[in-house]
Amino acid sequence: MALLLILHAAGALLAVPVVRRWGTRGALLTALAPLAALVWLLRVWAVDGPSAVRTAELAWVPGLELSAALRLDALSGLMVLVVAGVGALVLAYSAGYFAGEEEAAARRRTVPLLVGFAGAMLALVLSDDLVLLYVCWEVTTVLSWLLVGGGGERGEARRAAVHALLVTTAGGLALLVGVLLLAREAGTTRISQLLADPPEPTAAVAAAAALLLVGAITKSALLPVTAWLPGAMVAPTPVSAYLHAAAMVKAGVYLVARFAPVFEQVPLWRTGAVAVGAATMVVGAWRALRQHDLKLLLAHGTVSELGFMVVLLGAGGRTAALAGAGLLLAHAMFKSALFMVAGAIDHAAGTRDLRELSGLHRSARPLLVVSVLAAASMAGVPPTLGFIAHEAGFEAFAAHGGTADLVVLVVLVVGSVLTAAYSARFVWGAFGDRAGAEPTALHRPGAALVLPAAAGALGGLLAGLVPGPVDALVSAVAADRPAEGEEAYHLALWHGLTPALLASAVALGGAALLFAARGPVLRLQERLAVRPLRDLTAGRVQDVSLRGLDAVAARTTRAHQRGSLPQYVVVVALTVVAGPGTGLVLAVAAGAWPGGWRAWDAPAQPLLALLCLGAAVAAAALRNRRSAFLVVGVSGYALAGLFVVAGAPDLALTQALVETVTLGVALLVLRGLPPRFDRPAGRSGRGPSRALRVAAAAGAGAVAALLSAVALGARGAEPVADLVARLAVEVGGGENVVNVILVDVRAWDTFGEITVLTAAATGVASMVFLRHRTGRAPALRHAGGGADGGGTDASIASTWREEEDLHPGPDSAPQRPWLPAAATLPPGRRSAVLEVAVRLVFGVVMVVSVHLLLVGHDRPGGGFAAGLVAGVALFLRYVAGGRYELGEAARVDAGVLLGLGLLVAAVAGAAPLALGAQAFESAVLDLHVPVLGDVHLVTSLGFDVGVYLVVVATVLDVLRSLGAGVDEQQERERGSASGGDPDEVAEGVGS
């Protein structure tokens, strides 16, 4: 099972180059991933039958007893059959749907996402852990947002995607809370254990049931949030045929089916599922009956049928579950086929509007046959699987005879009447002759558009004619449900003259009458659709609610986020004083002040602390920007001195390096800002606002200092410092506790941090170069791997190579993609002595950087500190010779280096999994190497190398983006002041 998920993940990644290179043939190849899952499932069933159980488990968070547990049983097998079977058909259909050159971009985007979505759905239905189920649930939400939104060019698609995202994300949050409540009450996150031993129906369990039901309602577009599903029909037809017929919307139905046995004793679960599902069935079918767009008709019909399934699977009895499982399978086949037919008609005729289509029964007979078979199953016409499932659903409520069940039965019959009526409307409207209209021009659709739809339609017919295999499968699904009578019900074409058969006949007869009177019925619907009701049915209520929420958020933001950094700091400081400060006063009044508290451990500590405080006060008082930043640096270096006195050389080294690099970056930024701060409002800057800032700063500082003293003095347990130091050697294999924590104990956190660092560096560089690109024509391109295909350095190199081509000469430097030929400085701007001296120092500093990297596990250093040392060396080269020297020092693309660092860190973290260990687990290797002697290596060094590369690349990216941008601005200003062309000066000068 795990290999199937890996296959889909790899398939989604490989689909990008495959589809780009091989086009429609590549799209067809992507169907192999879900086809492999289908073959595996059928092989398991051929050996052990549909009741087979397969499990797989991989430790995820052992400390929390969480594992990536997978389990195949009858219900998950049914869902795998639907997800993989329809997924393979839809991907094959995509090869024909996106066949044209104009659809190439949509094909390259949609097909890989569909493969990834199939993998996410497989993981969801195979999950045997509540947390893993929730994670996969949210992954499908994100992927559906990407699929519905498309490339983002169409506003309608963007709105529909955001609408679906907001609704399903809200349901996902409800699901998360319900999962946590259920896990807490049951004492386990394992779904199989919950099924084997359901928790007692306490208030917390009832709340969990309600929250899970909310999650299912939002995912399956039940009332009152049905509007997002019809809105999502702006997506390409393959997306609708998969997500909205067989995959995403079935996730909510699956959730109801999976947890129905768990919440069997919770009255709210059954009542809520039946009530919401029955209402949704009737309302969705009524709306479908008056649609003119084929896809909208099918979308509202899908909403109706999802409500029918939720009624059956949430009712609790065996027969109802049997019918629900059968309807789930039948719906996946007939609805995906009908969506594909709608897409083929749109593709061949250029429209899906029933008012414009006429006479297609002559020119598109294969599509007509497919539509008739699929629509017959949707309407419940014998001998299709849809008819068998409908009859079983009627039987589930007719057999009981209770008042409530009879009411539900009547609602289901009414919904079935409407369902059969809009099924007939689909076929007649798409293929019939419209009075007074010419036959619609149609080019014959290809086999790739017809055969996948035909497979789904024929599947529904064959399953109805030979229901034995389906009955065995759904009987296994419903095996844990309580039986209603002595003789178990089974799916079959003929059960005799029963009330259920009568209900089916009434449904089909009523539908025939509605279809015969379709003109008056449609006019009646138009008259009944008064403005308030029409707005409601179109989802306007949800849109108005969202707009109102946006308006409230905008007003709140304008009131509190006014763009004033001093105001933000004052608010935070006053909050600290009012919150923790009040608690501190009460605690001290109650006698919490430590008796043995001492002010310092060494005489140097108060001196360094006073230096920190003095520098902070001076920075607040200075008006010159550069002076203020330099004084802030003094405060940072004094803090590094405090770390030295406290016996933390690694922290001191890191603090000093961070302060150095930060000052360098700040000076780059400050070159483009005014030299002095603006004076605050008031009388010479001494108004009440300044007094308030001083008071807030002093109060927050006092609270923080006193809170630290009380907290440290009130410690009642043994400090963990000694334990961590011992475990660092015994488990992490290193004596540098800080570095062992970073690359071993909390390696997951570190990996997340370098990922964020990569994103931040790329974003900063992108914004800088985007500003230059929009400012003038020959500007630098987007940095960080954007749509232009290149990163920061590749973009600069492209511009520089253009300069070299325009100004060739015998003295031009050889082409180097990382630096410009025209980037030499004017004679008065370069210092040969400085450049030579920095080049000599550069090599030494880089050797020190590598040394710190290699010894960081046992001595002060590590990947982060070593990367900062290398960054300082690069900054020196930039200061000495501008972009030219920086290009000579680092002949590599910063974007490539960032990606390489993340890749190295990820591989180093995942490598232990191949050896049966946990992710990021370290191993110690003591080797004897000739010449070098004994060498102590820890495998986490590979992770540290990744951190090192990311830090170096980040500094390089910042220098090349901020430095290059400010260089151009200054040279342009210098050219304007000297009377020359500023653009020529800026483009011809490297720094």
Side-chain angles (χ1 to χ4, degrees):
M1 286 185 284
L3 289 178
L4 290 176
L5 302 183
I6 294 173
L7 174 64
H8 280 77
L13 295 175
L14 294 176
V16 177
V18 168
V19 174
R20 181 181 294 273
R21 182 175 180 82
W22 290 329
T24 56
R25 289 176 297 171
L28 191 61
L29 285 175
T30 59
L32 294 176
L35 188 61
L38 182 61
V39 170
W40 169 80
L41 176 68
L42 296 178
R43 182 177 177 275
V44 171
W45 283 350
V47 175
D48 298 327
S51 299
V53 175
R54 295 284 191 276
T55 58
E57 184 175 355
L58 178 66
W60 184 7
V61 187
L64 299 177
E65 298 182 356
L66 293 180
S67 61
L70 305 175
R71 185 172 185 267
L72 173 72
D73 58 9
L75 178 58
S76 57
L78 172 64
M79 290 299 299
V80 171
L81 178 63
V82 169
V83 170
V86 178
L89 293 177
V90 169
L91 286 170
Y93 176 83
S94 300
Y97 189 85
F98 297 119
E101 289 299 324
E102 60 275 10
E103 287 98 2
R107 178 176 63 239
R108 291 194 297 266
R109 174 184 176 82
T110 304
V111 172
L113 287 173
L114 282 174
V115 179
F117 195 95
M121 276 298 300
L122 286 176
L124 189 153
V125 300
L126 290 172
S127 296
D128 193 31
D129 187 90
L130 290 171
V131 178
L132 180 61
L133 182 144
Y134 168 74
V135 171
C136 298
W137 184 281
E138 293 299 279
V139 171
T140 60
T141 295
V142 174
L143 290 177
S144 69
W145 170 65
L146 294 172
L147 284 165
V148 173
E153 296 88 0
R154 299 169 55 199
E156 185 182 9
R158 292 197 305 271
R159 287 191 295 272
V162 170
H163 190 180
L165 179 69
L166 290 175
V167 172
T168 53
T169 300
L173 293 175
L175 174 66
L176 175 60
V177 178
V179 160
L180 296 177
L181 277 175
L182 183 59
R184 181 179 179 275
E185 288 298 305
T188 181
T189 61
R190 192 63 62 88
I191 298 175
S192 56
Q193 296 179 9
L194 289 170
L195 294 172
D197 185 20
E200 294 295 326
T202 61
V205 172
L211 291 169
L212 263 65
L213 190 58
V214 169
I217 288 172
T218 57
K219 201 74 162 182
S220 291
L222 306 182
L223 287 176
V225 291
T226 60
W228 74 260
L229 180 54
M233 291 301 106
V234 297
T237 298
V239 175
S240 302
Y242 191 48
L243 272 66
H244 307 137
M248 178 185 177
V249 294
K250 292 288 175 61
V253 176
Y254 168 76
L255 194 72
V256 172
R258 175 59 75 193
F259 288 95
V262 177
F263 300 124
E264 185 179 358
Q265 302 301 321
V266 179
L268 176 64
W269 175 265
R270 184 182 189 276
T271 303
V274 172
V276 172
T280 302
M281 181 185 183
V282 175
V283 173
W286 176 256
R287 292 173 179 172
L289 194 58
R290 63 185 179 89
Q291 300 301 319
H292 299 289
D293 185 286
L294 288 177
K295 284 183 66 176
L296 282 179
L297 186 153
L298 295 175
H300 286 286
T302 298
V303 169
S304 173
E305 288 137 12
L306 291 171
F308 194 5
M309 282 180 263
V310 168
V311 171
L312 297 175
L313 293 169
R318 180 187 178 279
T319 304
L322 200 76
L327 183 60
L328 188 151
L329 180 59
H331 178 267
M333 290 189 285
F334 67 66
K335 189 52 66 74
S336 60
L338 290 173
F339 268 121
M340 287 188 269
V341 167
I345 292 175
D346 190 16
H347 211 268
T351 182
R352 300 191 307 261
D353 196 323
L354 297 178
R355 295 165 295 187
E356 300 175 5
L357 295 172
S358 178
L360 294 188
H361 64 92
R362 300 183 185 90
S363 55
R365 290 180 180 176
L367 291 179
L368 172 62
V369 173
V370 172
S371 298
V372 168
L373 292 177
S377 185
M378 181 165 65
V381 177
T384 62
L385 181 59
F387 163 74
I388 295 175
H390 276 72
E391 187 181 28
F394 297 150
E395 176 67 25
F397 293 94
H400 289 238
T403 303
D405 290 332
L406 290 178
V407 171
V408 175
L409 176 62
V410 171
V411 174
L412 296 183
V413 171
V414 172
S416 297
V417 169
L418 298 173
T419 299
Y422 70 69
S423 300
R425 175 176 168 78
F426 178 93
V427 176
W428 182 262
F431 296 94
D433 291 323
R434 194 160 47 88
E438 293 292 330
T440 303
L442 180 84
H443 67 80
R444 188 176 299 275
L449 293 176
V450 177
L451 292 180
L458 288 173
L461 177 63
L462 294 176
L465 292 172
V466 187
V470 176
D471 178 66
L473 172 59
V474 298
S475 296
V477 171
D480 56 351
R481 303 295 181 92
E484 293 84 353
E486 297 180 359
E487 185 176 350
Y489 186 89
H490 290 278
L491 297 185
L493 265 176
W494 179 252
H495 290 91
L497 298 176
T498 62
L501 180 63
L502 177 61
S504 297
V506 169
L508 295 176
L513 294 176
L514 273 181
F515 179 72
R518 57 188 178 277
V521 170
L522 186 59
R523 288 191 293 270
L524 174 64
Q525 285 188 313
E526 292 296 332
R527 285 197 297 269
L528 290 177
V530 294
R531 181 58 185 268
L533 184 60
R534 185 165 61 250
D535 290 347
L536 175 64
T537 57
R540 298 288 179 83
V541 171
Q542 296 178 39
D543 294 338
V544 170
S545 300
L546 292 176
R547 286 197 295 269
L549 184 62
D550 289 341
V552 172
R555 287 194 294 268
T556 305
T557 302
R558 285 195 298 268
H560 298 283
Q561 303 292 322
R562 307 185 67 87
S564 171
L565 183 59
Q567 175 181 331
Y568 301 157
V569 175
V570 167
V571 170
V572 172
L574 291 177
T575 303
V576 170
V577 173
T582 302
L584 178 65
V585 171
L586 296 176
V588 172
W593 185 261
W597 182 79
R598 57 186 185 275
W600 59 77
D601 294 318
Q605 285 180 329
L607 299 177
L608 291 170
L610 289 175
L611 182 59
C612 279
L613 294 175
V617 173
L622 287 171
R623 305 254 60 84
N624 185 279
R625 292 181 187 270
R626 296 186 182 182
S627 300
F629 268 94
L630 290 174
V631 172
V632 170
V634 171
S635 178
Y637 289 120
L639 181 61
L642 286 172
F643 286 140
V644 172
V645 174
D650 193 276
L651 293 178
L653 175 64
T654 304
Q655 171 66 28
L657 291 171
V658 168
E659 202 63 49
T660 302
V661 173
T662 303
L663 279 175
V665 174
L667 291 176
L668 287 178
V669 176
L670 291 178
R671 289 192 303 175
L673 295 176
R676 300 181 65 81
F677 293 108
D678 295 333
R679 299 189 67 86
R683 295 172 300 172
S684 302
R686 295 186 176 86
S689 60
R690 184 170 187 177
L692 179 62
R693 292 199 297 270
V694 171
V703 169
L706 295 176
L707 192 62
S708 300
V710 172
L712 292 175
R715 173 182 287 160
E718 290 292 328
V720 298
D722 297 336
L723 176 63
V724 172
R726 178 171 57 82
L727 291 178
V729 178
E730 297 177 357
V731 179
E735 296 180 357
N736 183 352
V737 179
V738 175
N739 187 258
V740 171
I741 291 175
L742 291 176
V743 301
D744 191 316
V745 177
R746 45 160 291 186
W748 277 109
D749 292 342
T750 305
F751 185 75
E753 289 165 2
I754 63 175
T755 304
V756 173
L757 184 62
T758 300
T762 304
V764 169
S766 299
M767 288 189 291
V768 170
F769 283 95
L770 182 62
R771 177 174 60 84
H772 284 272
R773 182 175 62 185
T774 56
R776 60 188 182 93
L780 303 177
R781 294 184 178 89
H782 175 72
D788 293 327
T792 304
D793 312 285
S795 304
I796 299 174
S798 175
T799 303
W800 287 339
R801 283 196 294 271
E802 292 171 5
E803 285 291 319
E804 188 176 48
D805 294 338
L806 290 173
H807 305 286
D811 299 329
S812 62
Q815 287 197 13
R816 300 182 179 93
W818 55 85
L819 60 89
T824 55
L825 294 172
R829 295 284 313 283
R830 300 187 64 171
S831 171
V833 175
L834 179 60
E835 290 185 25
V836 171
V838 169
R839 288 195 180 197
L840 292 175
V841 173
F842 178 77
V844 177
V845 177
M846 291 303 296
V847 170
V848 172
S849 169
V850 175
H851 172 76
L852 291 174
L853 171 65
L854 296 177
V855 304
H857 215 62
D858 293 301
R859 297 183 182 89
F864 189 72
L868 290 174
V869 170
V872 171
L874 292 172
F875 183 75
L876 291 176
R877 291 292 293 268
Y878 173 78
V879 171
R883 288 178 290 172
Y884 178 84
E885 277 293 300
L886 185 62
E888 286 284 2
R891 309 181 182 190
V892 64
D893 187 293
V896 172
L897 203 60
L898 282 168
L900 180 62
L902 278 179
L903 178 63
V904 169
V907 170
L913 295 175
L915 304 175
Q918 299 179 20
F920 294 104
E921 186 174 347
S922 300
V924 180
L925 303 174
D926 290 313
L927 306 173
H928 181 78
V929 181
V931 180
L932 296 178
D934 294 332
V935 177
H936 176 74
L937 290 177
V938 182
T939 55
S940 58
L941 176 63
F943 182 75
D944 230 4
V945 171
V947 175
Y948 175 82
L949 294 175
V950 168
V951 174
V952 172
T954 300
V955 176
L956 185 61
D957 217 359
V958 170
L959 289 175
R960 283 179 175 167
S961 56
L962 294 179
V966 176
D967 288 344
E968 283 196 14
Q969 179 182 347
Q970 290 190 343
E971 294 302 334
R972 194 175 298 109
E973 293 172 353
R974 186 177 296 110
S976 299
S978 61
D981 187 347
D983 284 345
E984 292 181 0
V985 175
E987 292 176 7
V989 179
S991 178

